[in-house]
Amino acid sequence: MGAAINTTECAAARRPRIAVTLGDPAGVGPELMAKLLSDPENSQRADITLLADKTELQAAIEDAGGVHVPVTTGPAGPGAIRILDDNSASRYSITRGEVSYDSGARTVHQLERALQLVEAGEVDAIVFAPLNKSSLKMAGMTEEDELRWFANKLNFKGTTSEINVAGPLWTARVTSHIGVEDVAARVTRESTLKAIELLHRLRWESGIEAPRLGVCALNPHNGENGAFGRQEIDAIRPAVEAARASGIDATGPYPCDTIFLKREHLDGIVTMYHDQGQIAMKLLGFDGGVTIQGGLPIPVATPAHGTAFDIAGRNLASVASTQNAFSIAVTMAERRIAEMEMRVHVHGHEHEQPVTAKAPLVQMTELKIGACC
């Protein structure tokens, strides 16, 4: 159950620190990030570090219509974006709008630099512009998706799930990038409960004090009392009951063809497999969507859309999803910082070090306090 931390009355002791990357350099990511960084309100909310060469940033600024991005090689702060230029862009040959080994390798290079900052305890969240999976595969990424890549790089073994965001509604998945033939066997009480708990935590971190979650059925007509499968009886309903017993406001299972009609009464929906939620979410609205690499030791967010090679460099791409990804990452980082400060305050360890990827945050159920400070 979410800890009762009043983040309005108990503001974080420090500003959140956000690392950002340009994503695939052959797509719209660089120009989108230039637009994001040109908005002074963003550097007012967080200390931003950009992993890019100055030459790349200058090209991105031109593609974005000549926006102004205030950068510094010193510390980040209000009105100043720190740029960490390692003078490495010339090693990669990038052709705009094309899949290539070099584009994938450049993308991975900057993401790995961001993770180095995480492990050094220098940033609280990562926001990356759109990636191209084909280029990443050409460059040697063997994981099924970037979420698994992040988890492997951080040596994180806990529960993860790609979280999809469309406006006020978030979805998590019990299974993700696997074949449909393998889904049923992986829908268990334990896997479903973990997905519910993860979505509950992340919605709390996003600013919802008491998240309302709905849980999908797997089979048609909610299994029709076992006639169409027993996952609802043996796995999903017991997981919902266990979540409710722990204080989570979860209900279901609901038939997957009607649960999204109840979305106005829910803050999140747990789906059983990839397309069960993705089709509905994209019909609800593609523009402004965000993908969160859920469950990792720090918030990691990205626009839900792709690299849009067909319009790259033409200043046509909307910054809405990139802005939403940044805003969500900042809010989640703020909540985690406030939670960490609460732990320090409660336990009297005034010099406790910030939590990094190698020291995952304590579960919220361990906090039994009311308001902080």
Side-chain angles (χ1 to χ4, degrees):
M1 186 169 73
I5 296 177
N6 189 324
T7 53
T8 300
E9 296 180 4
C10 179
R14 59 174 175 79
R15 287 158 52 87
R17 303 161 301 174
I18 313 296
V20 301
T21 77
L22 301 179
D24 189 299
V28 295
E31 61 194 87
L32 289 175
M33 199 55 71
K35 292 177 182 179
L36 178 87
L37 299 180
S38 70
D39 187 339
E41 291 186 9
N42 291 323
S43 60
Q44 290 294 324
R45 288 195 62 192
D47 293 337
I48 305 172
T49 296
L50 170 64
L51 286 305
D53 282 15
K54 293 178 182 177
T55 56
E56 292 174 302
L57 176 60
Q58 184 57 45
I61 288 172
E62 293 172 4
D63 286 345
V67 295
H68 174 63
V69 179
V71 296
T72 178
T73 56
I81 312 297
R82 178 174 70 152
I83 185 169
L84 291 185
D85 181 344
D86 66 352
N87 197 32
S88 62
S90 60
R91 302 176 199 164
Y92 305 87
S93 178
I94 309 298
T95 301
R96 179 175 289 162
E98 290 187 8
V99 171
S100 71
Y101 167 89
D102 279 7
S103 289
R106 185 61 175 164
T107 303
V108 170
H109 173 73
Q110 300 295 23
L111 289 176
E112 287 180 335
R113 292 181 71 206
L115 290 177
Q116 290 170 6
L117 296 178
V118 171
E119 294 188 327
E122 296 183 23
V123 298
D124 304 300
I126 295 173
V127 176
F128 61 90
L131 312 181
N132 184 279
K133 286 182 170 58
S134 295
S135 293
L136 294 173
K137 296 293 184 184
M138 291 175 68
M141 185 179 287
T142 58
E143 291 82 1
E144 62 208 58
D145 53 36
E146 53 267 31
L147 173 56
R148 303 302 182 272
W149 182 85
F150 276 111
N152 286 342
K153 287 292 183 179
L154 293 169
N155 195 30
F156 180 71
K157 307 299 183 184
T159 301
T160 58
S161 173
E162 185 177 283
I163 306 297
N164 297 107
V165 179
L169 185 65
W170 292 33
T171 61
R173 307 172 192 152
V174 175
T175 70
S176 190
H177 294 116
I178 63 172
V180 174
E181 64 184 356
D182 298 323
V183 169
R186 298 200 193 183
V187 175
T188 66
R189 176 188 179 278
E190 180 181 25
S191 64
T192 305
L193 179 58
K194 285 182 177 180
I196 295 170
E197 291 173 337
L198 176 60
L199 186 57
H200 171 80
R201 161 128 193 146
L202 294 176
R203 284 311 268 135
W204 180 86
E205 287 181 354
S206 73
I208 305 296
E209 295 296 336
R212 304 162 300 168
L213 306 182
V215 182
C216 272
L218 172 65
N219 298 298
H221 300 182
N222 218 357
E224 202 75 83
N225 294 317
F228 301 153
R230 292 192 55 85
Q231 284 78 14
E232 289 74 21
I233 297 170
D234 297 336
I236 303 173
R237 186 172 295 115
V240 171
E241 292 170 352
R244 292 185 64 81
S246 71
I248 296 174
D249 184 1
T251 55
Y254 297 108
C256 64
D257 59 352
T258 60
I259 187 171
F260 282 86
L261 300 177
K262 306 175 187 294
R263 63 186 182 276
E264 293 183 0
H265 306 289
L266 298 170
D267 302 302
I269 294 175
V270 176
T271 62
M272 297 299 118
Y273 59 93
H274 186 279
D275 287 357
Q276 193 179 50
Q278 282 293 79
I279 293 171
M281 292 294 273
K282 291 185 178 181
L283 284 172
L284 288 176
F286 193 73
D287 293 339
V290 175
T291 299
I292 298 167
Q293 313 300 316
L296 296 173
I298 66 162
V300 179
T302 188
H305 61 74
T307 47
F309 283 163
D310 58 324
I311 61 170
R314 297 170 59 189
N315 194 22
L316 296 176
S318 169
V319 75
S321 290
T322 306
Q323 179 63 64
N324 289 343
F326 178 83
S327 297
I328 288 171
V330 170
T331 298
M332 294 177 72
E334 288 171 338
R335 300 276 282 191
R336 290 195 181 199
I337 292 168
E339 181 185 16
M340 184 187 69
E341 293 297 327
M342 165 61 82
R343 278 171 39 205
V344 172
H345 176 75
V346 169
H347 297 294
H349 303 308
E350 298 297 335
H351 301 291
E352 183 173 322
Q353 294 299 310
V355 178
T356 69
K358 294 185 178 179
L361 285 165
V362 68
Q363 293 296 311
M364 290 189 297
T365 49
E366 294 181 54
L367 294 172
K368 305 297 184 182
I369 325 298
C372 66
C373 302

